[in-house]
């Protein structure tokens, strides 16, 4: 009888463990860039993760409207075979919060990012805390851009000036409408979330980042870096993405 009970207990343990044993490994990483920049800054992280066996894709953002950005991210998501970790930088945090409402998205990684809740806009969340700088300027045609003269100081102070100077004159303007659009989904409410908090950020308040990350229940990693932490600290950011893929 004791042997039968032992056998039954072993069978039950195996049955309970079966889903974990057969869980599909996450090998797809989809990255969504924030406003004012393109995806080229993720090259080093792409190389790190690719060498670790991941398939990395950067979802190019039109920055024409929030819905257009979400649609662009979802188009890339739909091309992935198997589970995905979705990564968003800056305003890309709002994009992945909505686009992440796909069953294949297993975890979200926020890098110096905005995490509006349902019914909130980017502008509303940004305005809820004192801003560390005022270098974002509007244009007459309804766009926003970072003052090129202040791009290095306020966006990427821990990068060489020749790099930030080029980024400043090649930036991708965002629309005022995108920042005023209320988000209609927040995947961080029910999916594992990881976050990079840039403690030297002058583009997005570190205090605001901390508050948003705590509200989302994210696992937070603080990095001494500017708003462009993914460029200046690629190893640390890549490690958080790897942790998210492995549920650590």
């Amino acid at each position: 009888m004791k042997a039968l009970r032992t056998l039954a207990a072993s069978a039950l343990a195996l049955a309970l463990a079966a889903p974990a044993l057969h869980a599909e490994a996450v090998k797809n990483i989809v990255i969504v860039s924030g406003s004012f920049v393109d995806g080229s800054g993720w090259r080093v992280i792409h190389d790190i993760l690719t060498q670790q066996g991941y398939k990395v894709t950067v979802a190019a953002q039109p920055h024409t409207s929030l819905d257009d950005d979400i649609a662009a991210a979802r188009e890339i998501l739909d091309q992935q075979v198997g589970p995905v970790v979705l990564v968003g930088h800056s305003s890309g945090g709002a994009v992945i919060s909505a686009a992440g409402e796909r069953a294949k998205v297993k975890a979200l990684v926020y890098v110096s990012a905005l995490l509006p809740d349902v019914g909130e806009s980017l502008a509303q969340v940004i305005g809820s805390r004192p801003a560390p700088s005022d270098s974002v300027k509007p244009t007459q045609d309804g766009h926003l851009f970072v003052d090129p003269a202040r791009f290095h100081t306020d966006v990427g102070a821990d990068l060489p000036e020749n790099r930030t100077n080029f980024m400043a004159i090649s930036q991708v303007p965002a629309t005022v409408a995108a920042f005023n659009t209320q988000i209609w989904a927040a995947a961080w409410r029910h999916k594992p979330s990881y976050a990079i908090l840039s403690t030297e950020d002058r583009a997005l308040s570190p205090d605001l980042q901390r508050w948003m990350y705590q509200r989302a229940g994210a696992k937070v990693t603080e990095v001494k870096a500017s708003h462009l932490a993914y460029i200046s600290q690629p190893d640390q950011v890549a490690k958080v993405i790897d942790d998210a893929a492995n549920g650590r």
Side-chain angles (χ1 to χ4, degrees):
M1 183 64 69
K2 182 178 179 180
L4 287 174
R5 285 199 299 268
T6 301
L7 183 61
S10 298
L12 178 60
L14 286 172
L16 292 173
L21 291 173
H22 292 92
E24 192 174 358
V26 178
K27 287 299 179 183
N28 297 299
I29 311 295
V30 172
I31 297 169
V32 176
S33 299
S35 301
F36 316 121
V37 295
D38 59 26
S40 62
W42 291 89
R43 175 60 188 270
V44 175
I45 288 178
H46 162 275
D47 293 348
I48 293 170
L49 294 174
T50 299
Q51 289 175 6
Q52 294 176 0
Y54 292 102
K55 174 180 177 267
V56 182
T57 309
V58 179
Q61 298 288 278
H63 296 306
T64 47
S65 72
L66 183 60
D67 286 345
D68 287 347
D69 288 350
I70 293 167
R74 283 187 159 178
E75 182 176 357
I76 298 299
L77 278 174
D78 290 344
Q79 296 172 17
Q80 308 305 305
V81 178
V84 178
V85 168
L86 195 52
V87 183
H89 170 249
S90 194
S91 61
V95 176
I96 71 169
S97 293
E101 292 282 23
R102 286 281 199 272
K104 65 172 60 177
V105 176
K106 301 304 180 184
L108 305 162
V109 178
Y110 295 92
V111 183
S112 314
L114 287 155
L115 285 74
D117 201 352
V118 174
E120 296 176 346
S121 68
L122 292 171
Q124 180 181 347
V125 175
I126 292 170
S128 68
R129 294 288 190 280
S133 67
D134 61 351
S135 53
V136 175
K137 306 296 183 182
T139 66
Q140 293 183 350
D141 64 351
H143 287 80
L144 298 168
F145 71 101
V146 179
D147 182 350
R150 297 174 60 182
F151 196 98
H152 175 76
T153 301
D154 290 345
V155 182
D158 52 354
L159 295 174
E161 283 196 57
N162 63 345
R163 180 160 192 178
T164 53
N165 288 345
F166 181 78
M167 295 177 75
I169 58 93
S170 62
Q171 61 182 293
V172 184
T175 61
V176 174
F179 275 73
N180 288 331
T181 300
Q182 294 179 338
I183 196 169
W184 37 265
W188 50 261
R189 282 194 162 275
H190 55 87
K191 295 198 176 189
S193 299
Y194 297 72
I196 297 285
L197 194 162
S198 303
T199 62
E200 308 298 311
D201 201 328
R202 284 186 50 79
L204 182 62
S205 165
D207 290 337
L208 177 57
Q209 291 179 48
R210 184 174 288 106
W211 176 79
M212 290 184 292
Y213 295 163
Q214 289 175 347
R215 179 174 71 166
K219 182 178 179 180
V220 180
T221 299
E222 294 195 11
V223 176
K224 187 177 181 180
S226 70
H227 193 56
L228 300 178
Y230 63 97
I231 299 177
S232 64
Q233 302 291 338
D235 290 312
Q236 293 190 61
V237 175
K239 182 182 183 305
V240 172
I241 296 171
D242 180 55
D243 286 346
N246 288 282
R248 291 194 289 262

